[in-house]
């Protein structure tokens, strides 16, 4: 790589430069700018050379289309190399995580040294959630995962739930505003029954309804590590509240429950939840409407 770099003209790399592999071109401009700023004098020629060499090889036979598999393998090789540079790792953070998840680079995600990953407003989707979840199984560094408004839906939360069954390090999971319904809540409930690490779960703004609340209520009677659960704006009514109350009666770990902004809850349902607590005044129940 060094010899190749020495033989190529090295024009300055700019954000969105076509010489960049497409996984870098998909990073936000500010993130990409930071990447380019921290790459040292040796790394820059290597990355530049790798990009230029790939472009030259791909354009040699213009009469035949470039294989998509070749594009993926080549960009993966550059991504894997770049992730091996400490300066690169320190600069890209979550932006690189999102790019790798969208492109299916599970092996790179599995080597992450980030304790906290917070992805907000990205169209990660179910497939991206699958890649993040695969990394969770293999990675012992991640303790907090936030996937806000990432369009993972019930299919994506199933992948996350499968990872929770095997992961013993993740303590905080935030899945707010992801269009998770009763089916997704069922996947999470199953995982909570088997997981031994998670302490905080946020499902704010997901339409799990009474059916989903019923699944989570059953999980509450089985989990012994969860201490905080946020179920605001979840379309939960009296039947769902009754199921949660039943689960709380058998639960010895939950200390904070937020059921605010569920307008279908009746006064009787609220009282039922309040009376279900085993820990008296030490537990905060929020039932705002």
């Amino acid at each position: 790589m060094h010899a190749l770099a020495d033989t190529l003209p090295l024009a300055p790399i700019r954000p969105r430069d076509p010489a960049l592999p497409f996984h870098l071109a998909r990073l936000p401009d500010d993130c990409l700018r930071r990447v380019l700023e921290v790459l040292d004098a040796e790394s820059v020629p290597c990355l530049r050379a790798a990009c230029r060499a790939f472009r030259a090889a791909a354009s040699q036979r213009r009469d035949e289309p470039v294989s998509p598999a070749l594009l993926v393998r080549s960009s993966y090789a550059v991504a894997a190399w770049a992730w091996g540079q400490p300066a690169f790792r320190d600069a890209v953070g979550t932006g690189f995580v999102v790019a790798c998840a969208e492109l299916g680079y599970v092996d790179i995600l599995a080597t992450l040294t980030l304790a906290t990953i917070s992805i907000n407003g990205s169209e990660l989707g179910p497939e991206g959630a699958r890649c993040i979840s695969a990394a969770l199984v293999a990675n012992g560094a991640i303790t907090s995962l936030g996937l806000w408004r990432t369009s993972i839906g019930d299919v994506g939360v199933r992948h996350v739930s499968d990872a929770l069954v095997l992961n013993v390090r993740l303590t905080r999971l935030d899945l707010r505003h992801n269009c998770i319904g009763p089916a997704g809540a069922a996947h999470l409930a199953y995982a909570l029954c088997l997981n031994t690490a998670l302490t905080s779960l946020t499902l704010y703004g997901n339409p799990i309804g009474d059916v989903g609340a019923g699944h989570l209520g059953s999980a509450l009677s089985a989990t012994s590590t969860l201490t905080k659960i946020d179920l605001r704006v979840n379309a939960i009514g009296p039947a769902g509240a009754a199921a949660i109350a039943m689960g709380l009666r058998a639960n010895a770990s939950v200390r904070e429950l937020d059921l605010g902004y569920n307008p279908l809850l009746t006064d009787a349902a609220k009282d039922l939840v309040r009376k279900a607590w085993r820990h008296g005044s030490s537990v905060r129940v929020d039932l705002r409407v």
Side-chain angles (χ1 to χ4, degrees):
M1 182 69 75
H2 295 279
L4 179 58
D6 293 338
T7 65
L8 292 171
L10 302 178
I13 296 181
R14 304 177 304 278
R16 309 302 168 191
D17 191 307
L20 290 170
F22 67 88
H23 80 284
L24 286 180
R26 292 174 67 173
L27 291 176
D29 283 332
D30 59 335
C31 180
L32 184 55
R33 203 172 305 118
R34 282 183 292 148
V35 172
L36 299 176
E37 287 173 356
V38 300
L39 287 174
D40 59 34
E42 179 178 338
S43 300
V44 169
C46 290
L47 179 59
R48 215 177 268 136
C51 300
R52 289 177 180 273
F54 170 62
R55 289 182 65 207
S59 61
Q60 280 179 354
R61 303 187 67 179
R62 297 176 181 273
D63 57 325
E64 294 183 9
V66 178
S67 164
L70 175 61
L71 287 172
V72 171
R73 286 197 301 271
S74 300
S75 62
Y76 179 87
V78 175
W81 171 84
W83 184 246
Q85 310 302 308
F88 189 98
R89 284 202 305 271
D90 294 341
V92 294
T94 298
F96 190 66
V97 173
V98 174
C100 286
E102 290 178 345
L103 294 167
Y105 296 167
V106 176
D107 291 346
I108 298 177
L109 292 174
T111 66
L112 293 175
T113 54
L114 304 171
T116 299
I117 295 177
S118 294
I119 301 174
N120 185 8
S122 167
E123 290 299 318
L124 198 63
E127 187 60 22
R130 183 192 67 79
C131 294
I132 292 285
S133 301
L136 278 178
V137 175
N139 191 306
I142 306 169
T143 59
S144 178
L145 176 61
L147 301 176
W148 302 7
R149 300 181 186 273
T150 51
S151 305
I152 66 173
D154 288 339
V155 175
V157 83
R158 184 191 68 197
H159 295 310
V160 175
S161 300
D162 289 344
L164 282 179
V165 173
L166 301 173
N167 182 280
V168 295
R169 292 279 295 170
L170 193 73
T171 59
R172 175 185 167 274
L173 178 61
D174 192 332
L175 298 173
R176 67 184 71 189
H177 294 299
N178 270 298
C179 298
I180 298 169
H187 294 307
L188 280 172
Y190 174 77
L192 288 176
C193 291
L194 300 175
N195 180 272
T196 60
L198 196 70
T199 60
S200 175
L201 174 64
T202 298
L203 287 174
Y204 182 108
N206 287 289
I208 66 171
D210 283 342
V211 175
H215 293 309
L216 293 176
S218 298
L220 287 177
S221 64
T223 180
S224 60
T225 59
L226 197 65
T227 61
K228 179 181 178 181
I229 183 167
D230 185 344
L231 299 176
R232 288 175 291 170
V233 198
N234 278 190
I236 296 173
I244 290 172
M246 184 175 297
L248 289 175
R249 291 192 183 98
N251 181 279
S253 64
V254 174
R255 290 293 189 278
E256 187 174 332
L257 169 67
D258 198 333
L259 280 168
Y261 305 110
N262 283 291
L264 297 178
L265 286 178
T266 62
D267 289 339
K270 296 174 187 177
D271 289 339
L272 185 65
V273 174
R274 288 192 182 97
K275 292 176 181 178
W277 290 106
R278 295 180 50 180
H279 311 292
S281 60
S282 65
V283 180
R284 183 175 75 82
V285 186
D286 194 329
L287 296 168
R288 295 186 303 274
V289 295

